[in-house]
Coordinates of all heavy atoms in Angstrom, one line a residue:
M15 N 17.7 -9.4 23.5 CA 16.6 -9.9 22.9 C 15.3 -9.0 23.2 O 14.2 -9.2 22.6 CB 16.1 -11.3 23.2 CG 17.2 -12.3 22.7 SD 17.6 -12.2 20.9 CE 16.2 -13.3 20.2
A16 N 15.5 -8.0 24.0 CA 14.5 -7.1 24.4 C 13.9 -6.2 23.3 O 12.8 -5.9 23.3 CB 14.8 -6.3 25.6
Y17 N 14.7 -6.0 22.2 CA 14.3 -5.1 21.2 C 13.5 -5.9 20.2 O 13.0 -5.4 19.3 CB 15.5 -4.5 20.6 CG 16.6 -5.7 20.0 CD1 16.3 -6.0 18.7 CD2 17.6 -6.1 20.7 CE1 17.2 -7.1 18.1 CE2 18.5 -7.0 20.2 CZ 18.4 -7.5 19.0 OH 19.0 -8.4 18.5
L18 N 13.5 -7.3 20.2 CA 12.9 -8.1 19.3 C 11.3 -7.8 19.1 O 10.7 -7.7 18.1 CB 13.0 -9.6 19.6 CG 12.7 -10.5 18.4 CD1 13.6 -10.3 17.3 CD2 12.8 -12.0 18.8
L19 N 10.6 -7.7 20.3 CA 9.2 -7.5 20.3 C 8.8 -6.1 19.7 O 7.8 -6.2 18.8 CB 8.6 -7.7 21.9 CG 7.0 -7.9 21.9 CD1 6.6 -9.0 21.2 CD2 6.7 -7.7 23.3
P20 N 9.3 -5.1 20.1 CA 9.0 -3.9 19.4 C 9.3 -3.7 17.9 O 8.7 -3.3 17.1 CB 9.8 -2.8 20.1 CG 10.6 -3.5 21.0 CD 10.2 -4.9 21.3
W21 N 10.4 -4.5 17.7 CA 10.9 -4.6 16.2 C 9.8 -5.3 15.5 O 9.3 -4.8 14.4 CB 12.2 -5.5 16.1 CG 12.8 -5.5 14.8 CD1 12.7 -6.4 13.9 CD2 13.8 -4.7 14.2 NE1 13.4 -6.2 12.7 CE2 14.2 -5.1 13.0 CE3 14.5 -3.5 14.8 CZ2 15.2 -4.5 12.2 CZ3 15.4 -2.9 14.0 CH2 15.8 -3.4 12.8
V22 N 9.4 -6.4 15.8 CA 8.2 -7.1 15.2 C 6.9 -6.4 15.3 O 6.2 -6.3 14.2 CB 7.9 -8.5 16.0 CG1 6.8 -9.4 15.3 CG2 9.2 -9.4 15.6
A23 N 6.6 -5.7 16.4 CA 5.5 -4.9 16.4 C 5.6 -3.8 15.5 O 4.4 -3.4 14.8 CB 5.2 -4.3 17.8
L24 N 6.5 -3.0 15.3 CA 6.7 -1.9 14.3 C 6.6 -2.5 12.9 O 6.0 -1.8 12.1 CB 8.0 -1.3 14.6 CG 8.3 -0.3 15.8 CD1 9.6 0.3 15.9 CD2 7.1 0.9 15.7
S25 N 7.1 -3.6 12.7 CA 7.0 -4.1 11.3 C 5.5 -4.4 11.0 O 5.1 -4.2 9.8 CB 7.9 -5.5 11.2 OG 9.2 -5.2 11.4
V26 N 4.8 -5.0 12.0 CA 3.4 -5.3 11.8 C 2.6 -4.0 11.5 O 1.7 -3.9 10.6 CB 2.9 -6.2 12.8 CG1 1.4 -6.2 12.7 CG2 3.4 -7.6 13.0
L27 N 3.0 -3.0 12.2 CA 2.3 -1.6 12.1 C 2.5 -1.1 10.8 O 1.7 -0.5 10.1 CB 2.8 -0.6 13.2 CG 2.3 -0.8 14.6 CD1 2.9 0.2 15.6 CD2 0.7 -0.6 14.5
V28 N 3.8 -1.4 10.3 CA 4.2 -0.8 8.9 C 3.5 -1.5 7.8 O 2.8 -1.0 6.9 CB 5.7 -0.9 8.6 CG1 6.0 -0.7 7.1 CG2 6.5 0.1 9.4
A29 N 3.2 -2.8 8.1 CA 2.5 -3.7 7.1 C 1.0 -3.2 7.1 O 0.3 -3.1 6.0 CB 2.5 -5.1 7.5
L30 N 0.4 -2.9 8.3 CA -0.9 -2.3 8.5 C -1.1 -1.1 7.8 O -2.0 -0.8 7.1 CB -1.4 -2.3 9.9 CG -1.7 -3.6 10.6 CD1 -1.9 -3.4 12.1 CD2 -2.8 -4.3 10.0
F31 N -0.1 -0.2 7.9 CA -0.1 1.0 7.3 C 0.0 0.9 5.6 O -0.9 1.6 5.0 CB 1.2 1.9 7.6 CG 1.6 3.1 6.8 CD1 0.8 4.2 6.9 CD2 2.6 3.0 5.9 CE1 1.1 5.3 6.1 CE2 2.8 4.2 5.2 CZ 2.0 5.3 5.3
A32 N 0.7 -0.1 5.2 CA 0.7 -0.3 3.8 C -0.5 -0.9 3.2 O -1.1 -0.5 2.2 CB 1.9 -1.2 3.5
Y33 N -1.1 -1.8 4.1 CA -2.5 -2.1 3.8 C -3.5 -1.0 3.8 O -4.4 -1.0 2.8 CB -3.0 -3.2 4.7 CG -4.4 -3.8 4.4 CD1 -4.4 -4.9 3.5 CD2 -5.4 -3.5 5.0 CE1 -5.6 -5.5 3.2 CE2 -6.8 -4.1 4.7 CZ -6.7 -5.1 3.8 OH -7.9 -5.5 3.4
G34 N -3.5 -0.1 4.7 CA -4.3 1.0 4.8 C -4.1 1.9 3.5 O -5.1 2.6 3.1
R35 N -3.0 1.9 3.0 CA -2.8 2.9 1.7 C -3.3 2.2 0.5 O -3.4 2.8 -0.5 CB -1.3 3.0 1.6 CG -0.7 4.1 2.4 CD 0.7 4.4 1.9 NE 0.5 5.5 0.7 CZ 1.4 5.6 -0.3 NH1 2.4 4.9 -0.4 NH2 1.0 6.3 -1.2
G36 N -3.8 0.9 0.5 CA -4.4 0.3 -0.6 C -3.5 -0.8 -1.3 O -3.8 -1.1 -2.3
H37 N -2.4 -1.1 -0.6 CA -1.4 -2.0 -1.2 C -2.1 -3.4 -1.1 O -2.9 -3.6 -0.3 CB -0.1 -2.1 -0.5 CG 0.9 -1.0 -0.8 ND1 1.5 -1.0 -2.1 CD2 1.1 0.1 -0.2 CE1 2.3 0.1 -2.1 NE2 2.1 0.9 -1.0
N38 N -1.8 -4.3 -2.1 CA -2.3 -5.7 -2.2 C -1.6 -6.5 -1.1 O -0.7 -6.1 -0.6 CB -2.4 -6.3 -3.6 CG -0.9 -6.4 -4.1 OD1 0.0 -6.6 -3.3 ND2 -0.9 -6.3 -5.4
M39 N -2.2 -7.7 -0.9 CA -1.6 -8.6 0.2 C -0.2 -8.9 0.0 O 0.6 -9.1 0.8 CB -2.5 -9.8 0.4 CG -3.9 -9.6 1.1 SD -3.8 -8.5 2.5 CE -2.9 -9.5 3.7
L40 N 0.2 -9.1 -1.3 CA 1.6 -9.5 -1.6 C 2.6 -8.5 -1.2 O 3.6 -8.6 -0.6 CB 1.6 -9.9 -3.1 CG 3.1 -10.4 -3.6 CD1 3.2 -11.9 -2.9 CD2 3.0 -10.6 -5.0
A41 N 2.1 -7.2 -1.6 CA 3.0 -6.0 -1.3 C 3.1 -5.9 0.2 O 4.2 -5.6 0.8 CB 2.5 -4.8 -2.0
V42 N 1.9 -6.1 0.9 CA 1.9 -5.8 2.4 C 2.8 -6.9 3.0 O 3.6 -6.5 4.0 CB 0.4 -6.1 3.0 CG1 0.4 -6.2 4.5 CG2 -0.6 -4.9 2.6
F43 N 2.7 -8.2 2.5 CA 3.7 -9.3 3.1 C 5.1 -8.8 2.7 O 5.9 -8.9 3.6 CB 3.3 -10.5 2.3 CG 4.1 -11.7 2.9 CD1 3.9 -12.1 4.2 CD2 5.0 -12.4 2.3 CE1 4.5 -13.1 4.9 CE2 5.7 -13.5 2.8 CZ 5.6 -13.8 4.0
G44 N 5.4 -8.2 1.6 CA 6.7 -7.8 1.3 C 7.1 -6.8 2.1 O 8.4 -6.8 2.7
F45 N 6.4 -5.8 2.6 CA 6.8 -4.8 3.4 C 6.9 -5.3 4.9 O 8.0 -4.9 5.6 CB 5.6 -3.6 3.6 CG 5.6 -2.7 2.3 CD1 4.5 -2.7 1.7 CD2 6.8 -2.0 1.9 CE1 4.5 -1.8 0.4 CE2 6.8 -1.3 0.7 CZ 5.5 -1.2 0.1
L46 N 6.2 -6.3 5.3 CA 6.4 -6.9 6.5 C 7.8 -7.7 6.7 O 8.4 -7.4 7.6 CB 5.3 -8.0 6.8 CG 5.4 -8.7 8.1 CD1 5.2 -7.9 9.3 CD2 4.2 -9.8 8.2
L47 N 8.1 -8.4 5.5 CA 9.3 -9.0 5.5 C 10.5 -8.0 5.6 O 11.5 -8.1 6.1 CB 9.4 -9.8 4.1 CG 9.0 -11.3 4.3 CD1 9.3 -11.9 3.0 CD2 9.7 -12.1 5.4
L48 N 10.4 -7.0 4.8 CA 11.3 -6.0 4.8 C 11.7 -5.3 6.1 O 12.7 -5.1 6.6 CB 10.9 -4.7 3.8 CG 11.9 -3.7 3.4 CD1 13.1 -4.4 2.5 CD2 11.3 -2.5 2.6
G49 N 10.5 -5.1 6.8 CA 10.7 -4.5 8.2 C 11.5 -5.4 9.0 O 12.1 -5.1 9.9
L50 N 10.9 -6.7 9.0 CA 11.5 -7.8 9.9 C 12.9 -8.0 9.6 O 13.8 -8.3 10.4 CB 10.7 -9.2 9.7 CG 9.3 -9.2 10.3 CD1 8.6 -10.5 10.0 CD2 9.3 -8.9 11.8
L51 N 13.4 -8.1 8.3 CA 14.6 -8.6 7.9 C 15.7 -7.4 8.0 O 16.8 -7.6 8.3 CB 14.7 -9.1 6.4 CG 13.8 -10.4 6.4 CD1 13.9 -11.0 5.0 CD2 14.5 -11.5 7.3
F52 N 15.2 -6.1 7.6 CA 16.0 -5.0 7.5 C 15.8 -4.0 8.7 O 16.5 -4.0 9.8 CB 15.9 -4.4 6.2 CG 16.6 -5.1 5.1 CD1 15.7 -5.9 4.4 CD2 17.8 -5.1 4.8 CE1 16.2 -6.7 3.3 CE2 18.4 -5.9 3.7 CZ 17.5 -6.7 2.9
S53 N 14.7 -3.2 8.5 CA 14.5 -2.3 9.6 C 12.9 -1.8 9.3 O 12.6 -1.7 8.1 CB 15.4 -1.1 9.6 OG 14.7 0.1 10.1
P54 N 12.2 -1.7 10.4 CA 10.9 -1.2 10.2 C 10.8 0.2 9.6 O 9.9 0.6 8.9 CB 10.2 -1.2 11.6 CG 11.0 -2.3 12.4 CD 12.4 -2.1 11.8
L55 N 11.9 1.0 10.0 CA 11.9 2.4 9.5 C 12.2 2.4 7.9 O 11.5 3.1 7.1 CB 13.1 3.2 10.0 CG 13.2 4.5 9.6 CD1 12.0 5.3 10.1 CD2 14.5 5.2 10.3
V56 N 12.9 1.4 7.4 CA 13.2 1.3 5.9 C 11.9 0.8 5.3 O 11.5 1.4 4.2 CB 14.2 0.2 5.7 CG1 14.3 -0.1 4.2 CG2 15.6 0.8 6.1
A57 N 11.2 0.0 5.9 CA 9.8 -0.6 5.4 C 8.9 0.4 5.4 O 8.1 0.7 4.3 CB 9.4 -1.7 6.3
L58 N 8.8 1.5 6.4 CA 7.8 2.5 6.5 C 8.2 3.4 5.4 O 7.1 3.9 4.6 CB 8.0 3.2 7.8 CG 7.1 4.5 8.0 CD1 5.7 3.9 8.0 CD2 7.4 5.2 9.3
I59 N 9.4 3.8 5.1 CA 9.7 4.7 4.1 C 9.4 4.1 2.7 O 8.8 4.9 1.8 CB 11.3 5.1 4.1 CG1 11.6 5.8 5.4 CG2 11.7 5.9 2.9 CD1 13.0 6.0 5.7
A60 N 9.7 2.9 2.4 CA 9.2 2.2 1.2 C 7.7 2.2 1.1 O 7.2 2.5 0.0 CB 9.8 0.8 1.3
A61 N 6.9 1.9 2.2 CA 5.5 1.8 2.2 C 4.9 3.3 1.8 O 3.9 3.4 1.2 CB 5.0 1.3 3.3
A62 N 5.7 4.2 2.2 CA 5.2 5.7 2.1 C 5.4 6.1 0.8 O 4.8 6.9 0.1 CB 5.8 6.6 3.1
L63 N 6.5 5.6 0.2 CA 7.0 6.2 -1.1 C 6.3 5.5 -2.4 O 6.2 6.0 -3.3 CB 8.5 6.1 -1.2 CG 9.2 7.3 -0.3 CD1 10.7 7.2 -0.6 CD2 8.8 8.6 -0.5
I64 N 6.2 4.1 -2.2 CA 5.8 3.3 -3.4 C 4.3 3.3 -3.3 O 3.6 3.0 -2.4 CB 6.3 1.8 -3.1 CG1 7.8 1.8 -3.1 CG2 5.8 1.1 -4.3 CD1 8.4 0.4 -2.6
P65 N 3.7 3.9 -4.5 CA 2.2 4.0 -4.6 C 1.7 2.5 -4.8 O 2.2 1.9 -5.4 CB 1.9 4.8 -5.8 CG 3.2 4.8 -6.5 CD 4.5 4.4 -5.6
P66 N 0.4 2.3 -4.2 CA -0.2 1.1 -4.5 C -0.5 0.9 -6.0 O -0.7 1.9 -6.6 CB -1.5 1.2 -3.7 CG -1.5 2.4 -2.9 CD -0.4 3.4 -3.5
S67 N -0.7 -0.4 -6.5 CA -0.9 -0.5 -7.9 C -2.2 -0.2 -8.2 O -3.1 -0.2 -7.4 CB -0.6 -2.0 -8.3 OG -1.6 -2.8 -7.7
D68 N -2.5 0.3 -9.4 CA -3.9 0.6 -9.8 C -4.6 -0.6 -9.6 O -5.9 -0.3 -9.1 CB -3.8 0.9 -11.4 CG -3.2 2.3 -11.7 OD1 -2.7 3.0 -10.7 OD2 -3.0 2.5 -12.8
Q69 N -4.3 -1.8 -10.0 CA -5.3 -2.9 -9.9 C -5.7 -3.1 -8.4 O -6.8 -3.4 -8.2 CB -4.6 -4.2 -10.5 CG -5.5 -5.4 -10.6 CD -6.7 -5.0 -11.5 OE1 -6.6 -4.5 -12.6 NE2 -7.9 -5.2 -11.0
S70 N -4.7 -2.9 -7.5 CA -5.1 -3.1 -6.0 C -6.0 -2.0 -5.6 O -7.0 -2.3 -4.8 CB -3.9 -3.3 -5.1 OG -3.5 -1.9 -4.7
L71 N -6.0 -0.8 -6.1 CA -7.0 0.2 -5.8 C -8.4 -0.1 -6.3 O -9.2 0.1 -5.5 CB -6.4 1.6 -6.3 CG -5.2 2.3 -5.6 CD1 -4.8 3.5 -6.3 CD2 -5.5 2.7 -4.2
I72 N -8.4 -0.6 -7.6 CA -9.7 -1.1 -8.0 C -10.3 -2.2 -7.2 O -11.4 -2.1 -6.9 CB -9.4 -1.3 -9.6 CG1 -9.1 -0.1 -10.4 CG2 -10.7 -2.0 -10.2 CD1 -8.6 -0.3 -11.8
D73 N -9.4 -3.2 -7.0 CA -9.9 -4.4 -6.3 C -10.5 -4.0 -4.9 O -11.4 -4.5 -4.4 CB -8.8 -5.3 -6.0 CG -8.3 -6.0 -7.3 OD1 -9.1 -5.9 -8.3 OD2 -7.2 -6.6 -7.3
K74 N -9.9 -3.0 -4.4 CA -10.4 -2.5 -2.9 C -11.4 -1.4 -3.0 O -11.9 -0.9 -2.0 CB -9.2 -1.9 -2.1 CG -8.2 -3.0 -1.7 CD -7.2 -2.5 -0.7 CE -6.3 -3.8 -0.4 NZ -5.5 -3.4 0.7
G75 N -12.0 -1.1 -4.2 CA -12.9 -0.2 -4.3 C -12.5 1.3 -4.1 O -13.3 2.2 -3.7
R76 N -11.2 1.6 -4.0 CA -10.8 2.9 -3.8 C -10.8 3.7 -5.0 O -10.8 5.0 -5.0 CB -9.4 2.8 -3.4 CG -9.1 2.1 -2.1 CD -9.5 2.9 -0.9 NE -9.1 2.2 0.4 CZ -7.8 2.4 1.0 NH1 -7.0 3.1 0.4 NH2 -7.6 1.8 2.1
A77 N -10.9 3.1 -6.2 CA -10.9 3.8 -7.4 C -11.6 3.0 -8.4 O -11.7 1.8 -8.3 CB -9.5 4.2 -7.8
K78 N -12.1 3.6 -9.6 CA -12.5 2.9 -10.8 C -11.9 3.4 -12.0 O -11.3 4.5 -12.0 CB -14.1 2.9 -10.8 CG -14.5 4.3 -11.1 CD -16.2 4.2 -11.2 CE -16.7 5.6 -11.4 NZ -18.2 5.7 -11.4
Q79 N -12.0 2.7 -13.1 CA -11.3 3.1 -14.3 C -12.3 3.7 -15.2 O -13.4 3.2 -15.4 CB -10.7 1.7 -15.0 CG -9.4 2.1 -15.8 CD -8.8 0.9 -16.2 OE1 -9.4 -0.3 -16.4 NE2 -7.5 1.0 -16.5
C80 N -11.9 4.9 -15.7 CA -12.7 5.5 -16.7 C -12.8 4.7 -17.9 O -11.8 4.4 -18.5 CB -12.0 6.9 -17.0 SG -13.0 7.8 -18.4
P81 N -14.0 4.4 -18.5 CA -14.2 3.6 -19.7 C -13.7 4.2 -20.9 O -13.5 3.6 -21.9 CB -15.8 3.4 -19.7 CG -16.4 4.5 -18.9 CD -15.3 4.9 -17.9
H82 N -13.5 5.5 -20.9 CA -13.1 6.2 -22.1 C -11.6 6.4 -22.2 O -10.9 6.1 -23.2 CB -13.7 7.6 -22.2 CG -15.2 7.5 -22.1 ND1 -15.9 7.0 -23.1 CD2 -16.1 7.8 -21.1 CE1 -17.3 7.0 -22.8 NE2 -17.3 7.6 -21.6
C83 N -10.9 7.0 -21.1 CA -9.6 7.2 -21.2 C -8.7 6.2 -20.3 O -7.4 6.3 -20.3 CB -9.2 8.7 -20.7 SG -9.4 8.9 -19.0
L84 N -9.5 5.3 -19.6 CA -8.6 4.3 -18.7 C -8.0 4.8 -17.6 O -7.2 4.1 -16.9 CB -7.8 3.3 -19.6 CG -8.6 2.6 -20.7 CD1 -7.5 1.9 -21.5 CD2 -9.7 1.9 -20.3
E85 N -8.0 6.2 -17.2 CA -7.4 6.7 -16.1 C -8.3 6.3 -14.8 O -9.4 6.1 -15.0 CB -7.3 8.2 -16.2 CG -6.2 8.8 -17.2 CD -4.9 8.6 -16.8 OE1 -4.7 8.3 -15.5 OE2 -4.0 8.6 -17.6
L86 N -7.7 6.3 -13.7 CA -8.4 5.9 -12.3 C -9.0 7.2 -11.9 O -8.4 8.2 -11.8 CB -7.3 5.5 -11.4 CG -6.7 4.2 -11.5 CD1 -5.8 3.7 -10.4 CD2 -7.7 3.1 -11.7
V87 N -10.2 7.0 -11.6 CA -11.0 8.1 -11.0 C -11.6 7.7 -9.7 O -11.7 6.5 -9.4 CB -12.1 8.7 -12.0 CG1 -11.5 9.2 -13.2 CG2 -13.1 7.6 -12.4
R88 N -12.1 8.6 -8.8 CA -12.8 8.2 -7.6 C -14.0 7.4 -7.9 O -14.7 7.7 -8.9 CB -13.2 9.5 -6.8 CG -12.1 10.2 -6.1 CD -12.5 11.6 -5.8 NE -11.3 12.3 -5.4 CZ -10.9 12.6 -4.1 NH1 -11.6 12.2 -3.1 NH2 -9.8 13.3 -3.9
P89 N -14.3 6.3 -6.9 CA -15.5 5.5 -7.3 C -16.8 6.3 -7.4 O -17.6 5.7 -8.2 CB -15.6 4.6 -6.0 CG -14.3 4.8 -5.3 CD -13.6 6.1 -5.8
A90 N -17.0 7.3 -6.7 CA -18.2 8.0 -6.7 C -18.4 9.1 -8.0 O -19.4 9.7 -8.1 CB -18.6 8.8 -5.5
A91 N -17.4 9.2 -8.7 CA -17.3 10.2 -9.7 C -18.2 9.9 -10.9 O -18.3 8.7 -11.4 CB -15.9 10.3 -10.3
N92 N -19.0 11.0 -11.4 CA -19.7 10.7 -12.6 C -19.0 11.3 -13.8 O -19.4 10.8 -14.9 CB -21.1 11.5 -12.4 CG -22.0 10.6 -11.4 OD1 -22.0 9.4 -11.4 ND2 -22.7 11.4 -10.7
V93 N -18.2 12.2 -13.7 CA -17.5 13.0 -14.7 C -16.0 12.6 -14.5 O -15.4 12.8 -13.3 CB -17.8 14.3 -14.8 CG1 -16.9 14.9 -15.9 CG2 -19.1 14.7 -15.0
C94 N -15.3 12.1 -15.5 CA -13.9 11.8 -15.3 C -13.1 13.0 -15.3 O -13.3 14.1 -16.1 CB -13.4 11.0 -16.6 SG -11.7 10.7 -16.7
S95 N -12.1 13.2 -14.2 CA -11.4 14.4 -14.2 C -10.3 14.5 -15.3 O -9.6 15.5 -15.3 CB -10.7 14.5 -12.8 OG -9.9 13.5 -12.6
H96 N -10.0 13.5 -15.9 CA -9.0 13.6 -16.9 C -9.4 13.8 -18.4 O -8.9 14.6 -19.0 CB -8.3 12.1 -17.0 CG -7.7 11.7 -15.7 ND1 -6.4 12.2 -15.3 CD2 -8.2 11.0 -14.7 CE1 -6.2 11.6 -14.1 NE2 -7.3 11.0 -13.7
C97 N -10.6 13.1 -18.8 CA -11.1 13.5 -20.1 C -12.4 14.2 -20.1 O -12.8 14.7 -21.3 CB -11.2 12.1 -20.9 SG -12.4 11.1 -20.2
G98 N -13.1 14.2 -19.0 CA -14.3 15.0 -18.8 C -15.5 14.2 -19.3 O -16.7 14.6 -19.6
Ligands
ZN11 ZN1 -11.5 9.7 -18.6

């Protein structure tokens, strides 16, 4: 049972990593479960490969939606990089 603590700790770290990437709480909880039930490594790869949803990026203030073309742009942008 000595491996249980690092297993849980790594799973929590992967969940924090997913949160840091802008994933919403449901996805973060999913990655935590994936790490606990399967492997923290599998969860890390999934968290690194699956992009956060547009809505969760907007909710967290990481991006805003261009009113003209509806593409995501940086929050501080004055000119949309997609439609100009
Ligand atoms: Zn635009």
Side-chain angles (χ1 to χ4, degrees):
M15 295 302 272
Y17 60 87
L18 193 64
L19 191 63
W21 187 270
V22 171
L24 282 173
S25 296
V26 170
L27 278 178
V28 168
L30 289 174
F31 166 73
Y33 184 79
R35 281 199 75 209
H37 282 284
N38 60 32
M39 286 316 288
L40 188 66
V42 168
F43 187 67
F45 289 122
L46 179 63
L47 271 185
L48 189 66
L50 291 174
L51 296 178
F52 292 95
S53 156
L55 186 63
V56 171
L58 178 64
I59 292 169
L63 292 182
I64 300 172
S67 72
D68 289 356
Q69 192 57 52
S70 87
L71 288 175
I72 293 169
D73 289 345
K74 291 189 173 187
R76 300 279 187 89
K78 65 181 181 183
Q79 206 166 28
C80 170
H82 304 289
C83 68
L84 302 181
E85 287 287 344
L86 290 187
V87 294
R88 289 165 190 257
N92 288 322
V93 178
C94 173
S95 59
H96 300 279
C97 67

